[in-house]
Amino acid sequence: MAASLPGVDRFGDVGGKRVLVRSDLNVPLDGAPDGQRSITDDGRIRASVPQIRQLLDAGADVVVCAHLGRPKGAPDPKYSLHPVAARLGELLERDVEFVEDPDGTPKTGLALLENVRFHPGETSKDDAERGAYADVLAGLADFYVDDAFGAVHRKHASVYDIAQRLPAAAGQLVERELEVLRQLTESPQRPYVVVLGGSKVSDKLAVIDNLLPTVDRLLVGGGMCFTFLAALGHEVGDSLLETEQIEACRRLLASGKLVLPSDVVVATDITEDAETQVVGIDAIPAGRKGLDIGPASVDLFARELTGARTVFWNGPMGVFEVAPFAAGTKGVAEAVAALSGDSAGGALTVVGGGDSAAAVRRLDVGEERFGHISTGGGASLEYLEGKTLPGLAVLAEQS
Ligand code: ADP
Ligand code: MG
């Protein structure tokens, strides 16, 4: 990956110019009926504000575009960015014109386009189809700024093709995210400890593979730990298990760097009033699901983290969204946060992943207690896997 990407200063004076900003506004919404949904975590919207504000302050007209969820290339009220426009306006203390028609043209100095994924060209595998939609977007502005770190791993029209059609630059958020990820991959201070959790081990095998040579220890919790426990010969009851990955887990365990939980919280159902039990990893009862790491594992992970100078944490330790299974995530988050320090001392602590970032906020751990909370889950993992990210590669070609 190029050492640095072109920034917005390459445009010179943007006063009176129109700038298309691709932001990551893919926030979680609650389950209320269409048109009444509210945002349950506005972290990504807040993270997008500084770049938009900087351009507005410099006198530019700004058109923001973004996606929300995975609509099927057609308008779907469930995935409307309408609630996001309102929140963005509150944060910027300005009116945001909401442009519903995907081919519509903004009339005011600050506009948000409706979900780019309502347009089939956005995610199309066909270059011409994507290109046609990118042409529409390019017609809206003089310059393009990619500030959607969470989407840079996608070869989509509003991320990739658009940057071949307008003078393009990386936004502040993308630059900041890359600066931190570079610190993790190029000469991290040691000990370097990575904590991984989340649901699917198959999502994380590539990143484990790529990180193992660099890290000193890798702590594994969350739903993915059960495939590792099975690889060690433990019964895992009805816990998440990917049998086809057991062999791969066994191979990774041979590195000697992995640390697994010693106890887990089990229950039959994922409910707020679930009856839970803490059991050792060699005593998971048949018919129960492991839904969080247990208190002894939190202590074990905290001990393994002691003295770390660099920490990357991705993936909750349990089903933190449901109270009886949140303690493991909260405990590990506290242990990581306690290591952060000012520039004079303490560890660089980085949280990656949408759900992990949401957990930090939801469990009141305090975002400010971490060195960096990445807005991009998939993107930061793919970066750490060493993959080329199309949205960044296309910007690098510009410099
Ligand atoms: P991130 O978005 O931070 O990268 P993931 O998407 O990989 O994290 O995983 C988050 C999901 O993993 C959460 O919704 C959480 O409920 C789920 N999860 C964590 N532990 C378990 C478990 N033991 N069983 C089932 N799901 C789990
Ligand atoms: Mg996730």
Side-chain angles (χ1 to χ4, degrees), residues 49-50 52-53 56 87-94 96 110:
V49 160
I52 297 169
R53 184 172 280 143
L56 291 169
R87 184 71 189 121
L88 188 62
E90 281 166 22
L91 290 166
L92 284 163
E93 296 173 309
R94 284 184 59 138
V96 176
L110 173 62

Side-chain angles (χ1 to χ4, degrees), residues 192-258:
Y192 176 17
V193 182
V194 169
V195 187
L196 288 181
S199 47
K200 290 178 73 186
V201 69
S202 48
D203 286 350
K204 316 259 162 132
L205 284 175
V207 76
I208 298 179
D209 252 332
N210 208 55
L211 286 172
L212 264 184
T214 329
V215 303
D216 296 294
R217 275 188 293 289
L218 203 152
L219 319 183
V220 180
M224 64 187 273
C225 78
F226 297 98
T227 306
F228 284 97
L229 292 174
L232 288 172
H234 296 292
E235 297 292 336
V236 298
D238 285 351
S239 308
L240 278 185
L241 175 65
E242 291 176 75
T243 30
E244 63 289 0
Q245 308 298 350
I246 290 180
E247 233 359 89
C249 290
R250 203 167 279 144
R251 187 171 47 76
L252 294 169
L253 284 163
S255 70
K257 290 182 174 179
L258 271 62

Side-chain angles (χ1 to χ4, degrees), residues 58-352:
D61 289 340
V62 176
V63 182
V64 182
C65 68
H67 78 278
L68 182 78
R70 296 186 175 201
K72 306 254 173 295
D76 179 345
K78 199 170 151 207
Y79 298 110
S80 174
L81 278 171
H82 203 267
V84 172
R87 184 71 189 121
L88 188 62
E90 281 166 22
L91 290 166
L92 284 163
E93 296 173 309
R94 284 184 59 138
D95 285 338
V96 176
E97 177 189 347
F98 188 60
V99 182
E100 226 149 319
D101 173 2
D103 296 340
T105 308
K107 292 167 198 69
T108 65
L110 173 62
L112 172 66
L113 303 186
E114 178 58 289
N115 196 340
V116 287
R117 290 192 185 171
F118 285 2
H119 213 283
E122 169 66 4
T123 59
S124 175
K125 297 255 185 293
D126 181 68
D127 290 349
E129 209 184 337
R130 270 200 333 273
Y133 181 47
D135 286 339
V136 172
L137 293 174
L140 301 178
D142 303 297
F143 301 122
Y144 169 72
V145 175
D146 187 355
D147 208 29
F149 182 72
V152 293
H153 59 316
R154 306 286 187 203
K155 193 174 179 179
H156 290 171
S158 71
V159 175
Y160 180 81
D161 306 80
I162 181 74
Q164 298 176 322
R165 287 166 169 77
L166 288 177
Q172 322 184 342
L173 178 61
V174 165
E175 285 182 339
R176 168 81 185 128
E177 296 269 9
L178 288 176
E179 191 185 304
V180 173
L181 288 172
R182 269 190 219 111
Q183 287 183 58
L184 293 180
T185 47
E186 299 163 13
S187 62
Q189 291 209 55
R190 297 185 177 285
Y192 176 17
V193 182
V194 169
V195 187
L196 288 181
S199 47
K200 290 178 73 186
V201 69
S202 48
D203 286 350
K204 316 259 162 132
L205 284 175
V207 76
I208 298 179
D209 252 332
N210 208 55
L211 286 172
L212 264 184
T214 329
V215 303
D216 296 294
R217 275 188 293 289
L218 203 152
L219 319 183
V220 180
M224 64 187 273
C225 78
F226 297 98
T227 306
F228 284 97
L229 292 174
L232 288 172
H234 296 292
E235 297 292 336
V236 298
D238 285 351
S239 308
L240 278 185
L241 175 65
E242 291 176 75
T243 30
E244 63 289 0
Q245 308 298 350
I246 290 180
E247 233 359 89
C249 290
R250 203 167 279 144
R251 187 171 47 76
L252 294 169
L253 284 163
S255 70
K257 290 182 174 179
L258 271 62
V259 180
L260 293 172
S262 56
D263 62 348
V264 294
V265 177
V266 298
T268 41
D269 296 298
I270 306 177
T271 54
E272 290 291 339
D273 57 358
E275 231 171 84
T276 64
Q277 199 186 338
V278 176
V279 298
I281 50 167
D282 50 3
I284 300 174
R288 305 283 182 84
K289 297 181 177 71
L291 296 169
D292 194 12
I293 62 170
S297 305
V298 172
D299 288 347
L300 170 69
F301 285 11
R303 278 199 305 280
E304 295 285 349
L305 283 160
T306 306
R309 303 282 301 157
T310 307
V311 179
F312 175 68
W313 168 38
N314 166 268
M317 296 292 103
V319 184
F320 74 94
E321 299 93 335
V322 184
F325 313 110
T329 303
K330 169 119 175 158
V332 167
E334 289 286 348
V336 173
L339 298 169
S340 317
D342 52 34
S343 50
L348 170 67
T349 52
V350 181
V351 182

